[in-house]
Amino acid sequence: MKTSMLNIRSAAMLAGAALIPTAAVFMSGLVSTAIAGTATQTISVTANVNANCKLSNPVAVAFGNYDPIDVNYSTDLLASGSFDIRCTKGVTAALTINNGNNFSSPNRRMIGGTNNSIFLNYQLYTTSGRTTVWDSSVGGTVSYTAANSNNTTETIYGTVPSGQNVSAQAYSDTVTVTATF
């Protein structure tokens, strides 16, 4: 009986000794890393950039003094004004100017400040050559395409035609610039 008991004890010691390296492996974390898992998920990231334009910094078309009996008897009075436009990069806008508050075909007109039945005719143009009227017609539209989102200055060229028979007083009108995009 002593021999079989000794064999059992020897076998148990050998089995225990074999478990020591296995326990050391678990304690070192090598096996725990081998059984860890991961999971992934993709998430969309989105944004919309809207087409937009902004008009700002208007500078009046201020003609100054019109002299119907001397200088402007035979020479047009010229002036210019401007405004800034800023659009989202790549946006194309059609720029139009309405006919003002006192239009009577085919003339834009400034109204007299003290006698509102007297008008001084004027016109607004797309270029300094003053050949194309800037209005809301198909041919009178200025096309603007934004190369970037910075301000761009657009110039309005104005003319008060010579030889108008008008009284001495201040004249004015208001026009509206529109960007359609």
Side-chain angles (χ1 to χ4, degrees):
M1 176 137 167
K2 284 191 181 194
T3 311
S4 60
M5 191 65 130
L6 186 60
N7 285 342
I8 292 175
R9 279 189 185 179
S10 294
M13 285 175 68
L14 285 174
L19 290 177
I20 291 174
T22 305
V25 168
F26 279 114
M27 303 278 285
S28 70
L30 294 177
V31 171
S32 65
T33 305
I35 60 172
T38 62
T40 61
Q41 175 67 50
T42 60
I43 298 174
S44 296
V45 178
T46 64
N48 294 322
V49 176
N50 296 324
N52 196 8
C53 290
K54 180 181 178 184
L55 302 175
S56 61
N57 303 319
V59 175
V61 180
F63 288 105
N65 296 323
Y66 181 81
D67 183 357
I69 62 165
D70 190 13
V71 175
N72 302 117
Y73 181 76
S74 60
T75 303
D76 295 343
L77 180 60
L78 307 178
S80 64
S82 65
F83 61 92
D84 287 347
I85 181 169
R86 183 175 70 205
C87 294
T88 308
K89 181 180 179 179
V91 168
T92 297
L95 304 176
T96 59
I97 302 177
N98 74 351
N99 287 323
N101 296 329
N102 306 295
F103 181 77
S104 180
S105 188
N107 299 308
R108 283 182 166 123
R109 304 181 310 169
M110 292 178 268
I111 193 166
T114 57
N115 183 344
N116 59 13
S117 64
I118 298 177
F119 299 92
L120 182 62
N121 295 333
Y122 73 98
Q123 197 52 270
L124 303 176
Y125 298 92
T126 60
T127 63
S128 61
R130 292 170 170 79
T131 55
T132 303
V133 173
W134 197 341
D135 57 17
S136 56
S137 69
V138 174
T141 301
V142 171
S143 181
Y144 169 78
T145 300
N148 53 49
S149 297
N150 297 333
N151 277 341
T152 299
T153 300
E154 292 289 333
T155 302
I156 305 166
Y157 300 92
T159 300
V160 175
S162 63
Q164 296 186 56
N165 186 18
V166 292
S167 61
Q169 60 181 318
Y171 293 84
S172 66
D173 193 18
T174 302
V175 295
T176 302
V177 177
T178 303
T180 304
F181 51 94

